[in-house]
Amino acid sequence: SDLAAVVKDAGDDPDITNGVMIEAAVEVAAGADIVLRAGSGVGTVTLPGLSVPVGEPAINPGPRQMILTAVRDALPEGWGAVVTVSIPGGEALAARTLNPVLGIAGGLSIIGTTGIVEPMSEEAFKNSLAPQISVVKALGHAAVVFAPGKIGQDIAIKQCGLPAEQIVQTSNFIGFMLEQAVRYGMKQVLLFGHLGKICKVAAGIFHTHNRMADGRMETLAAYAASLGASQQTVQAVLRCATTEAALPIIDNAGLHKVYTVLAERASQRAMRYVFQDLEVGTVIVTLHGAILGMDADAVR
């Protein structure tokens, strides 16, 4: 098998994988399939609720697609390959990430959406996000859609038909971007995000990086309890590592209304954050783009 290796350069992103060696061994095989395997130091998914199914190597859909496309381009017609990705020392590093909590066992996860490291020093990054709002304003709009991440942005455009020119990525800086929306004279904001991020906003957390604050499961459990969830259901939600993993529990308990309540709460908290200078509506989606709930302002 052929082996290629590259050293990860994380730029100014405080990433634990900065400087590590990432290796890919490719073994050509008869048949059309390209199979990805987790080598030493790359984790395997053991819990539901992530964007990769249980039992698969912890290589997210973005990098997975890049690997498959690159290998397919290089293979002769009718041939497949087994690609084994390894990170020497990755298992020890993974202990210092959230991977063990998220159910990724045996190493690090390969994540990302573009393969390009964006500048990450907080001030520089925040200041690179804000001008997106001025573009929306220049196009004559007084309403803007805030999507915390690339996944939400894609869902908003491709699955919900929202106008791409009004969608702005906020990253984790939702509070900062709400203030910028006021500064640029926006009148309405639609928060459009994954349940995990919106749970944080509903709890009054406006910098949503997991190292700043994380009450996702507690918030989801508390609002489920307020709608009559049993103690057993509340405990089951609190045992989940991700909000995505809690979806079937909420479903089985018939508590779908909790998503509408969380959307309302997120909007109220956001409006309070900017002292009612904006009208805010919220839409909550899953990783796969299903709409879980929205409030009345979002419907408008």
Side-chain angles (χ1 to χ4, degrees):
S1 74
D2 291 312
L3 181 73
V6 66
V7 173
K8 163 78 181 275
D9 177 359
D12 61 356
D13 184 348
D15 188 324
I16 197 161
T17 62
N18 190 38
V20 303
M21 186 75 78
I22 299 174
E23 299 173 348
V26 182
E27 207 168 325
V28 177
D33 282 350
I34 298 171
V35 179
L36 296 188
R37 297 233 168 106
S40 162
V42 171
T44 299
V45 176
T46 65
L47 288 178
L50 299 176
S51 57
V52 175
V54 169
E56 285 283 313
I59 301 172
N60 270 20
R64 187 175 285 256
Q65 195 51 55
M66 286 182 215
I67 294 167
L68 297 178
T69 303
V71 174
R72 173 61 61 221
D73 282 352
L75 285 173
E77 190 75 31
W79 285 84
V82 177
V83 180
T84 305
V85 182
S86 310
I87 301 176
E91 192 160 2
L93 287 174
R96 299 189 64 80
T97 71
L98 286 181
N99 282 13
V101 177
L102 295 173
I104 296 169
L108 293 161
S109 42
I110 310 283
I111 60 172
T113 49
T114 62
I116 297 163
V117 174
E118 302 282 356
M120 223 359 235
S121 82
E122 192 159 302
E123 273 319 296
F125 192 21
K126 278 159 71 170
N127 292 330
S128 74
L129 292 169
Q132 298 174 96
I133 305 171
S134 72
V135 173
V136 175
K137 185 183 183 180
L139 291 168
H141 302 292
V144 63
V145 179
F146 279 172
K150 181 85 173 74
I151 292 171
Q153 186 178 28
D154 288 346
I155 292 165
I157 297 167
K158 292 175 188 160
Q159 289 173 239
C160 296
L162 291 173
E165 65 180 35
Q166 281 177 268
I167 299 172
V168 161
Q169 271 198 60
T170 64
S171 183
N172 289 307
F173 310 114
I174 293 171
F176 168 78
M177 291 296 273
L178 285 166
E179 288 170 337
Q180 294 301 307
V182 173
R183 192 164 80 82
Y184 282 110
M186 290 288 133
K187 298 289 175 239
Q188 292 175 304
V189 169
L190 179 66
L191 288 180
F192 189 102
H194 183 261
L195 176 59
K197 294 282 185 203
I198 301 300
C199 272
K200 290 185 181 184
V201 178
I205 297 166
F206 286 94
H207 185 318
T208 58
H209 193 284
N210 60 29
R211 295 298 286 268
M212 298 301 281
D214 187 3
R216 290 165 305 154
M217 307 321 301
E218 292 83 352
T219 304
L220 186 53
Y223 282 103
S226 76
L227 295 175
S230 67
Q231 189 175 358
Q232 198 177 2
T233 299
V234 168
Q235 287 172 347
V237 168
L238 291 173
R239 276 196 299 272
C240 291
T242 64
T243 53
E244 197 80 12
L247 297 179
I249 296 162
I250 299 286
D251 230 25
N252 292 340
L255 291 167
H256 205 266
K257 188 180 177 224
V258 74
Y259 305 124
T260 309
V261 174
L262 284 164
E264 287 167 355
R265 194 76 186 135
S267 294
Q268 286 165 9
R269 279 301 226 326
M271 286 190 280
R272 190 196 303 172
Y273 192 84
V274 291
F275 306 103
Q276 317 299 321
D277 285 344
L278 293 168
E279 208 174 282
V280 181
T282 301
V283 176
I284 301 176
V285 293
T286 68
L287 277 177
H288 302 294
I291 291 181
L292 288 172
M294 61 179 83
D295 59 7
D297 277 331
V299 177
R300 281 217 301 279

